[in-house]
Amino acid sequence: MTEFFKLETKDNIAILTLDVKDRPLNVLSEKVLREFNQHLDHLIADTQNQGLVITSGKKDSFIAGADISEIESLDTVEKSTQGSKQMQAFFSKLAAFPRPTVAAINGICLGGGLEMSLACTWRIGTDNPKTKLGLPEVMLGLLPGAGGTQRLPRLVGLAASLDLILTGKEIPAKKAEKIGLLDAVVDQHILLKEAIKLAHKSRGDGRRHDGISKELPRWVTDHNPIGRSFVAKKTRDMLDKNTKGLFPAPYKALDAVMRGFDKSIEEGLDIESQLFGELAQTKESKSFIHLYHATTALKKNPYTEAGKTRFGDTKTNLVGIIGAGFMGRGVATVCAQKNIHVRYSDPDENTIGLALKHTRAFFNKLADRKRIKRFEVEQKMALVSPGTNPQGLGSCDVVIEAVFEDLNLKRKILAGFENKVSEDWIFASNTSALPISDISEGSPLADRVLGMHFFSPVEKMPLLEIVRTDKTAPWALARAAELGNTMGKKVIIVNDGPGFYTTRALAFYLAEAALMLNEGVKIETVDKALTKFGYPVGPITLIDEVGIDVGIHVLETIHKAFPDRMKMPSGLEQVQKSGRLGRKNGKGFYLYSEGKKTGPDSEIYNVAGPAKDDFKVLPTEEIIDRCNLVFVNESFRCLEEGILASSSDGDVGAVFGLGFPPFLGGPFHYVKLLGKQVVIERLEALAEKYGSRFEPCQSLRNF
């Protein structure tokens, strides 16, 4: 009896169709692979079939990869290595199948799914936009452990394979065909027919011959030791620059590719399985897998049913945006990118013009990079309608207010819609610090007012923090989450409060960094310590990025809410009064030339710090702990007070919204890695030296 595969025969070709019934996507678990192995044994013995086609019974999905939970359950290097060897063995048997084999791919083909395909004689894909191929294991702190680091380079060459293996990127079918990963791309309706044709051919019957002009570069880099050494060095230099040595997976993946490339496939697979086993037990891999589970769980929020009851399967189609400044134009651009209609409102026509120019430049860049067709730029722009009066936004599904942080202005905007909107209309504020309940106070629309806190730049930052008040209706939260998911964001839903979760925790982090400047520590010393720890930019650079004026507002708002615990740094107002706003006007704690940071502004010390020659030296570890552990402690307070629904939400918010090092899994997972008692002892030492703001909170002690 077969549980996962259906076997049938057409034109003397065996068709093996995978459909894991209890999952939305096909995943290669141990049970699935063992059944696959049984089918292979049967088909090898059955000489009546002239070939084999492997396909999927799922719509828009071939195979999404291996079962991550099973990988996670392997708790030693030896077990992880053996798990890799078992998968390799199944696919090696497929590679040795005595007749032609074809992977017929429609939809996503990732990880173990692509590794299975690589073991086939032929690979054919569809022109369905959802057909994407990739090896994303590096994004879980792993490497492809079922033959990917060995078969892919032998098929497409070192350069193309390293680009896929080391980045985890997914490529469309046409690009896969171009690099030789797919042998053909066809309409999805004739996929099986064309796959059967290929299954009647041995590999030599139809192999492409690209000519010496295309083979020569691969000969230079792939087929001589000097060329391979050059590729390895350049790639390692690139990894050093991009990862700062903090992520072991890309390095071990590079080693697997380079060490195995000129050896037999069996020797290469041995190298691959050993390195996979080592990676599977690293703290980095465990952190990435934790984040994978945390982000997957976000798709099941408690308000989904309320949304389905009210809206059925209807999606948000029309979004209004009030304020065409930096944040508003970013939200509009992402909406248009996802084919959501947008109506702008801003009283300044020049600001609207700049916003439209920004959106057009974004889509032109996508067209230049061949991510979209040139004609699609105009299609996207047609989705954006500007105006100077917000009253026309009453017919939108959701209106997002993105004006500057003035409570009275936000209340006035909301009041302008009273008695003029449908019962399903939703008002969302993009405020980063003001409590949403303060905005909706006294409004008859309070049940459909919430926060949608986007992060800058909206086009790149993956997080959306949705904020609920005690009056926000569940259906409104469901609609906002649905919109966020459509926009491609990772959505966390938090309870209302000053700064919600992300801004509140971040404020303590930034304040501590600024306090060290007050004490006489160099700007670059603080930043380098935190980037060494793993943050993408240092806290002082981050203040410049968000804007010194915005940073002051955030710190003042959070200090007002927590005056007994947050110590307000001095000198920031003097910095702003000196004409420094940060990157946006080319002068902040750092100087900027043509938008690029050139170095710290030494004059800043005369404005807000000690004399230039009187700098304080602190150990790097102490700088890291002061900023990072005050952030961790405040995250636990947010969980303690019910701002956060779960520690997993806190980890997702910190990593994807605030740049907490992903290889440490977020502030809550970091405590598990380091050990609760170690964190408590470090905080207590800091509290004794610097004050009660470092006193470990109760939820941390109870964690």
Side-chain angles (χ1 to χ4, degrees):
M1 178 180 177
T2 61
E3 184 178 355
F4 305 109
F5 290 91
K6 180 177 73 172
L7 178 62
E8 54 189 329
T9 302
K10 291 184 180 179
D11 299 333
N12 295 320
I13 299 296
I15 313 294
L16 199 56
T17 303
L18 173 61
D19 191 353
V20 183
K21 297 292 186 183
D22 61 346
R23 296 204 185 212
L25 303 174
N26 286 328
V27 174
L28 298 177
S29 65
E30 183 180 9
K31 289 177 67 176
V32 170
L33 286 168
R34 291 201 179 282
E35 184 179 316
F36 175 67
N37 188 57
Q38 291 170 3
H39 281 293
L40 283 183
D41 287 339
H42 166 73
L43 291 168
I44 289 170
D46 179 13
T47 57
Q48 295 300 310
N49 68 75
Q50 297 175 12
L52 167 65
V53 171
I54 302 170
T55 191
S56 168
K58 303 286 189 187
K59 180 182 179 182
D60 297 331
S61 169
F62 180 63
I63 300 172
D67 190 321
I68 293 172
S69 296
E70 291 186 358
I71 294 173
E72 196 177 13
S73 70
L74 303 172
D75 57 4
T76 67
V77 171
E78 291 73 20
K79 289 180 182 178
S80 299
T81 301
Q82 190 58 36
S84 171
K85 285 182 177 293
Q86 287 176 349
M87 280 195 75
Q88 290 174 347
F90 293 136
F91 296 160
S92 290
K93 182 181 285 189
L94 174 61
F97 195 82
R99 292 168 291 282
T101 55
V102 182
I105 302 164
N106 179 51
I108 61 171
C109 175
L110 304 175
L114 182 55
E115 289 174 296
M116 177 185 280
S117 303
L118 288 169
C120 291
T121 313
W122 303 97
R123 286 152 299 281
I124 182 171
T126 69
D127 56 6
N128 180 351
K130 294 183 179 179
T131 299
K132 304 277 187 177
L133 295 87
L135 293 171
E137 286 87 349
V138 71
M139 299 173 75
L140 293 175
L142 300 168
L143 57 74
T149 67
Q150 304 306 307
R151 290 194 173 92
L152 184 61
R154 288 165 170 77
L155 179 67
V156 303
L158 286 174
S161 63
L162 288 172
D163 184 45
L164 286 173
I165 292 169
L166 301 185
T167 64
K169 68 169 62 171
E170 301 171 14
I171 60 173
K174 282 295 184 183
K175 184 170 182 181
E177 182 184 31
K178 184 177 180 180
I179 67 172
L181 178 52
L182 288 179
D183 297 290
V185 177
V186 300
D187 184 279
Q188 59 184 311
H189 298 100
I190 60 170
L191 174 63
L192 189 58
K193 175 183 175 183
E194 294 301 313
I196 290 171
K197 285 183 183 178
L198 276 178
H200 282 289
K201 297 181 180 180
S202 67
R203 186 70 211 187
D205 291 342
R207 192 175 185 85
R208 294 187 316 176
H209 297 284
D210 292 323
I212 191 168
S213 63
K214 291 189 177 181
E215 291 296 330
L216 184 59
R218 279 185 59 177
W219 181 88
V220 171
T221 58
D222 294 8
H223 301 299
N224 73 86
I226 296 175
R228 291 196 297 274
S229 177
F230 175 79
V231 169
K233 183 181 185 308
K234 295 295 288 184
T235 304
R236 192 169 294 275
D237 289 346
M238 179 269 293
L239 291 179
D240 290 342
K241 178 181 178 181
N242 292 343
T243 72
K244 301 180 179 65
L246 296 169
F247 301 81
Y251 291 95
K252 286 191 181 289
L254 175 62
D255 285 348
V257 171
M258 302 310 300
R259 287 169 55 194
F261 189 72
D262 61 346
K263 294 181 172 61
S264 69
I265 187 70
E266 292 77 19
E267 290 174 303
L269 291 173
D270 281 343
I271 293 169
E272 176 185 89
S273 62
Q274 183 59 45
L275 294 174
F276 177 90
E278 293 170 8
L279 281 173
Q281 300 309 315
T282 61
K283 71 178 188 300
E284 291 84 2
S285 177
K286 294 182 184 302
S287 297
F288 282 121
I289 289 175
H290 160 71
L291 287 172
Y292 169 82
H293 289 312
T295 54
T296 301
L298 294 178
K299 298 173 184 177
K300 301 176 182 178
N301 73 70
Y303 308 104
T304 301
E305 286 305 315
K308 286 184 178 179
T309 299
R310 192 172 187 104
F311 301 110
D313 294 326
T314 304
K315 303 293 185 182
T316 303
N317 182 57
L318 181 59
V319 172
I321 298 175
I322 301 176
F326 189 71
M327 294 301 294
R329 67 188 61 166
V331 175
T333 300
V334 175
C335 283
Q337 184 183 16
K338 300 299 182 180
N339 298 316
I340 301 168
H341 289 80
V342 177
R343 288 181 185 168
Y344 262 134
S345 173
D346 195 292
D348 188 336
E349 291 185 0
N350 182 58
T351 300
I352 288 179
L354 291 173
L356 293 174
K357 183 179 179 181
H358 169 90
T359 300
R360 181 174 290 278
F362 175 83
F363 290 124
N364 279 333
K365 187 176 290 186
L366 290 184
D368 292 342
R369 295 176 178 175
K370 302 189 184 306
R371 302 279 181 84
I372 62 174
K373 303 292 185 183
R374 186 63 61 180
F375 71 84
E376 290 182 90
V377 174
E378 296 306 323
Q379 290 181 340
K380 300 294 186 184
M381 292 304 299
L383 295 170
V384 183
S385 302
T388 57
N389 192 323
Q391 295 307 313
L393 304 185
S395 60
C396 293
D397 299 319
V398 178
V399 168
I400 300 171
E401 164 272 303
V403 302
F404 54 89
E405 299 285 79
D406 183 306
L407 178 60
N408 289 328
L409 175 60
K410 294 174 186 290
R411 284 175 170 172
K412 182 179 179 181
I413 291 171
L414 175 60
F417 289 101
E418 292 176 6
N419 304 317
K420 299 177 183 178
V421 294
S422 73
E423 60 182 12
D424 291 335
W425 183 88
I426 295 169
F427 183 85
S429 175
N430 183 53
T431 177
S432 60
L434 296 174
I436 303 302
S437 56
D438 287 356
I439 297 172
S440 64
E441 185 179 2
S443 172
L445 303 174
D447 64 327
R448 75 274 303 279
V449 177
L450 47 83
M452 290 184 75
H453 179 204
F454 293 90
F455 294 76
S456 176
V458 182
E459 297 89 342
K460 293 182 179 180
M461 294 297 287
L463 187 72
L464 170 61
E465 184 179 35
I466 293 178
V467 186
R468 66 177 292 272
T469 73
D470 57 0
K471 294 183 179 179
T472 307
W475 61 264
L477 293 164
R479 172 68 89 172
E482 170 263 308
L483 173 58
N485 289 327
T486 301
M487 294 174 72
K489 300 299 181 183
K490 300 183 188 304
V491 179
I492 63 171
I493 300 176
V494 303
N495 280 326
D496 194 19
F500 326 127
Y501 163 54
T502 54
T503 302
R504 172 175 161 183
L506 182 66
F508 280 81
Y509 170 83
L510 297 180
E512 199 60 37
L515 285 169
M516 282 186 267
L517 298 190
N518 290 162
E519 295 166 16
V521 182
K522 282 186 176 181
I523 293 168
E524 62 269 35
T525 300
V526 176
D527 274 354
K528 285 179 181 177
L530 274 301
T531 55
K532 179 182 178 181
F533 180 71
Y535 283 90
V537 298
I540 309 303
T541 296
L542 186 56
I543 293 174
D544 267 5
E545 294 287 344
V546 301
I548 291 172
D549 53 339
V550 176
I552 290 171
H553 170 76
V554 167
L555 293 182
E556 288 178 343
T557 301
I558 304 304
H559 178 255
K560 182 180 178 181
F562 309 103
D564 297 334
R565 199 166 69 251
M566 180 176 170
K567 186 175 180 180
M568 188 72 180
S570 63
L572 291 178
E573 289 188 359
Q574 287 86 340
V575 172
Q576 181 183 358
K577 288 177 181 177
S578 70
R580 294 170 171 83
L581 295 178
R583 180 182 287 277
K584 60 187 171 185
N585 77 335
K587 194 174 184 181
F589 289 97
Y590 290 88
L591 294 174
Y592 300 84
S593 176
E594 297 181 355
K596 293 184 178 180
K597 187 171 69 174
T598 59
D601 182 359
S602 60
E603 291 300 317
I604 208 105
Y605 299 114
N606 296 329
V607 177
K612 294 182 193 177
D613 300 324
D614 186 24
F615 293 111
K616 181 178 181 179
V617 177
L618 284 179
T620 298
E621 292 73 17
E622 185 169 324
I623 295 172
I624 293 170
D625 275 357
R626 283 181 64 177
C627 289
N628 191 56
L629 293 186
V630 78
F631 176 92
V632 169
N633 202 29
E634 200 59 31
S635 296
F636 273 86
R637 290 186 188 276
C638 288
L639 183 64
E640 184 174 281
E641 296 170 16
I643 299 296
L644 283 169
S646 70
S647 60
S648 292
D649 283 2
D651 283 339
V652 171
V655 169
F656 294 101
L658 304 177
F660 192 95
F663 56 88
L664 297 175
F668 297 92
H669 189 73
Y670 175 65
V671 170
K672 292 180 181 178
L673 290 176
L674 206 58
K676 178 182 72 172
Q677 197 55 41
V678 171
V679 175
I680 289 173
E681 288 172 2
R682 289 187 186 179
L683 279 168
E684 287 175 339
L686 289 171
E688 184 175 344
K689 187 173 182 178
Y690 292 106
S692 60
R693 65 185 181 277
F694 289 103
E695 185 63 35
C697 68
Q698 194 59 48
S699 61
L700 173 57
R701 294 183 183 278
N702 296 340
F703 190 57

